Amino acid sequence: MTTRAADVVIVGSGPTGSTYARIIRRDWPEARILMVEAGPKTTPEIGKHLDNLPDADRTEAQLRAQGPKRGVTYAPITREEWEARKAGKHDASLQRRPGLFFANTDTPDETAFAGFAAASVGGMGVQWTSGCPHPSKSERVPFIDEAEMEAALQLADELLGSNKNPFPGCKGSEEMRRRLGEVFNPGRPDDRKVQPMPLAYTVTEEGVITHGTDHILGEMVNEPEEMFRILPETACRRVLHENGTATGVELVSMTSGESWQVRAGTVVVAADSLHGPQLLYGSGIRPEALGRTINDHYLINRFFITDIEGPLTSMSWIPRVDNEDFPFSVTIHGNDPAKFPFPEQVEGTLVGMGLFVAADPRPENRIIFDDETLDWKGLPSFSIHAPINEVDEKRIEMGKAVAEKIATTLGRPLDGFATVRIPTGNSLHYQGTMRMGEADDGTSVCDRHSRVWGFENLHVAGNGIIPTVTATNPTPFIVALASMGARKIAEARRTVTEAAA
């Protein structure tokens, strides 16, 4: 059956697209919702997280999620690359990530902004690391009421299934947080003190269940197709629009090449921070700020040895605070040296650290579209121009110093391993490309309800709409913002009939 009309068409099946579907269904039970996904369904259950699969099945699912690189097994890390990473130099293997593909046309080298993406039902929501921290006050949207934002974040926790302390009673991790608290807690508000990292986990006697987009969609996955349908391996080539109204979408089957149009009352573009702007651009919707202010959290890694007895099951988190003294979000967790790609001599309890550094959003850092060269979906290909500036460099060096301080607070740095900045793009937190604004003044793409300026029924979603300087994992933040946009769509109840299609 070819769907020709829907009240709401959602392009993208990741966490924000799934949130739009779930909240619209909650507030508008009669809505007919069509979700479009360029990649295949890779798991037996819709939106199941790949970490819940047996190893062989997970590998197969990752290979199928690689878009234009579908089925390609990337070359494993070499000893030379591993030694370069240990020395704090460029490790090219970090630009070959199973389950993802390099979406931009830039040569993957030391200077590149790596624009990774996934293409499968569930998107990054079936591969994410499940961290659910809340943004600090300054990271939140300043023109959204504080109480409204807090309520939306609580809803995001419910949708994601956030567990504030998934491993209570982990004595080693509690001791780690006690020591870190002595150094970093003074002067911090209670909600920004050292704490367990909230994770989208259900812990059972058999092990951990990591939540994917199945947790967001809930019972919607069992609805009849005339009410909710996901079209896998179907790309959206164009958002159709006329006189400031989105009228539908033009779709193409990635298997047969057949194309058709679907009329829609509302269109939601939830196709990630790179492909969302790409679709708008390819549709002739080109606000001045589209694709600009792209930024990603710079990621600093450090391994160290602690005298704290394991197991260190619980992940610890040092949150970002609202001043320039600590523009970082830090995760710390026990590590298994057996998972290193090559044998290393490790004596003691190994700990890994990921320190996320806030980047400086600048309009000149942007996606550059190429109308002459099309990508695997038939849309304009793109490159990314986002060099590091002096503000970034200063924060990165501060971050490295903080990483060393944390390592010496808890133990000693692992011999033979430097404090290293991972290649730009590896945090997968690309932001700013469809940024939200308070006024239609050319510096933003959408309003506080995520509606594209000049449209009443075209919404955008994902990390790209974040307009602030952040260091915190953005997933709960963008799910919260998506829930606000979804409520607006449900209030409007714009329908389209099959006859009109």
Side-chain angles (χ1 to χ4, degrees):
M1 181 183 72
T2 301
T3 302
R4 299 291 183 180
D7 297 323
V8 182
V9 172
I10 301 170
V11 182
S13 62
T16 56
S18 298
T19 297
Y20 265 91
R22 177 72 179 274
I23 299 304
I24 291 169
R25 171 62 71 242
R26 183 196 71 181
D27 294 354
W28 182 11
E30 305 81 20
R32 294 167 302 138
I33 303 170
L34 175 66
M35 182 176 282
V36 179
E37 170 56 56
K41 179 174 176 283
T42 60
T43 57
E45 297 88 2
I46 291 172
K48 184 175 183 176
H49 198 289
L50 303 194
D51 283 355
N52 301 323
L53 301 178
D55 289 347
D57 293 345
R58 181 170 63 251
T59 298
E60 175 62 23
Q62 287 177 326
L63 288 171
R64 297 185 66 210
Q66 292 174 179
K69 297 292 185 180
R70 180 172 172 174
V72 175
T73 300
Y74 299 140
I77 184 172
T78 65
R79 168 60 86 170
E80 183 181 7
E81 290 169 334
W82 176 240
E83 293 299 330
R85 190 194 309 184
K86 288 171 57 180
K89 299 177 182 178
H90 178 64
D91 170 9
S93 75
L94 293 171
Q95 293 174 329
R96 305 187 300 270
R97 296 185 60 166
L100 307 176
F101 62 95
F102 204 89
N104 44 316
T105 57
D106 303 279
T107 302
D109 58 23
E110 189 170 359
T111 64
F113 186 115
F116 290 111
S120 69
V121 172
M124 286 304 300
V126 298
Q127 297 196 51
W128 71 311
T129 55
S130 80
C132 292
H134 282 194
S136 69
K137 300 298 183 186
S138 69
E139 292 178 317
R140 303 182 187 191
V141 181
F143 44 86
I144 294 179
D145 177 74
E146 186 174 331
E148 182 184 3
M149 188 73 247
E150 186 60 36
L153 285 167
Q154 296 303 322
L155 175 58
D157 285 345
E158 294 176 22
L159 292 171
L160 294 166
S162 175
N163 189 330
K164 297 298 184 185
N165 188 7
F167 302 103
C170 179
K171 299 300 182 184
S173 299
E174 289 174 357
E175 171 62 16
M176 181 179 291
R177 289 191 284 270
R178 186 194 67 78
R179 294 189 193 180
L180 290 170
E182 289 180 349
V183 176
F184 293 101
N185 280 350
R188 287 174 173 252
D190 287 344
D191 68 328
R192 308 313 285 178
K193 289 182 177 178
V194 179
Q195 59 191 275
M197 170 60 81
L199 298 170
Y201 278 0
T202 295
V203 182
T204 70
E205 292 183 358
E206 289 74 34
V208 170
I209 299 172
T210 306
H211 302 162
T213 55
D214 54 350
H215 198 280
I216 300 174
L217 290 170
E219 289 302 312
M220 287 191 72
V221 298
N222 299 318
E223 289 185 3
E225 285 194 346
E226 61 267 22
M227 295 304 295
F228 177 61
R229 187 180 187 190
I230 300 177
L231 288 182
E233 298 186 273
T234 303
C236 182
R237 286 264 177 88
R238 192 159 52 108
V239 175
L240 306 173
H241 56 97
E242 185 176 349
N243 299 324
T245 299
T247 58
V249 292
E250 180 181 305
L251 305 179
V252 61
S253 167
M254 300 300 289
T255 54
S256 70
E258 175 195 3
S259 63
W260 70 101
Q261 295 185 353
V262 177
R263 300 288 292 178
T266 300
V267 176
V268 179
V269 176
D272 82 38
S273 302
L274 305 176
H275 295 98
Q278 178 196 41
L279 177 56
L280 293 183
Y281 182 90
S283 304
I285 302 168
R286 302 177 180 182
E288 185 179 343
L290 185 69
R292 292 186 177 274
T293 64
I294 187 170
N295 65 97
D296 185 45
H297 299 150
Y298 299 111
L299 176 56
I300 293 170
N301 278 1
R302 172 33 109 183
F303 289 108
F304 60 92
I305 301 297
T306 184
D307 62 349
I308 299 172
E309 294 185 5
L312 304 175
T313 309
S314 176
M315 181 182 292
S316 298
W317 176 40
I318 310 176
R320 187 208 169 155
V321 290
D322 294 326
N323 58 54
E324 272 302 310
D325 294 334
F326 204 88
F328 317 115
S329 177
V330 189
T331 59
I332 305 162
H333 50 88
N335 243 266
D336 182 359
K339 293 184 177 180
F340 281 157
F342 298 96
E344 298 288 346
Q345 188 67 35
V346 177
E347 296 182 3
T349 301
L350 180 67
V351 181
M353 177 198 322
L355 186 147
F356 296 90
V357 182
D360 182 32
R362 306 185 301 282
E364 59 269 28
N365 283 7
R366 64 191 188 98
I367 300 172
I368 301 171
F369 299 101
D370 181 359
D371 291 295
E372 303 300 318
T373 307
L374 303 182
D375 74 352
W376 65 292
K377 295 182 296 182
L379 287 165
S381 61
F382 58 87
S383 58
I384 299 174
H385 173 80
I388 295 174
N389 72 354
E390 292 182 2
V391 174
D392 296 328
E393 289 283 8
K394 180 180 178 181
R395 287 183 182 149
I396 290 167
E397 291 308 310
M398 284 175 59
K400 289 181 177 179
V402 169
E404 291 293 324
K405 183 177 181 178
I406 292 170
T408 55
T409 297
L410 297 175
R412 59 176 175 81
L414 179 60
D415 292 339
F417 285 74
T419 299
V420 56
R421 182 178 76 80
I422 301 301
T424 306
N426 268 270
S427 83
L428 309 179
H429 298 163
Y430 321 133
Q431 300 175 24
T433 54
M434 301 179 291
R435 69 199 314 254
M436 186 178 284
E438 191 169 12
D440 185 7
D441 58 4
T443 64
S444 60
V445 172
C446 66
D447 68 12
R448 68 180 301 277
H449 301 293
S450 305
R451 290 178 303 198
V452 175
W453 292 115
F455 289 81
E456 284 295 319
N457 65 335
L458 175 59
H459 290 245
V460 287
N463 296 348
I465 69 173
I466 296 174
T468 50
V469 178
T470 77
T472 306
N473 181 310
T475 305
F477 190 16
I478 60 175
V479 166
L481 294 173
S483 73
M484 294 179 182
R487 291 205 312 268
K488 205 69 179 174
I489 292 172
E491 287 174 12
R493 299 196 173 210
R494 300 173 69 106
T495 62
V496 61
T497 65
E498 289 285 352

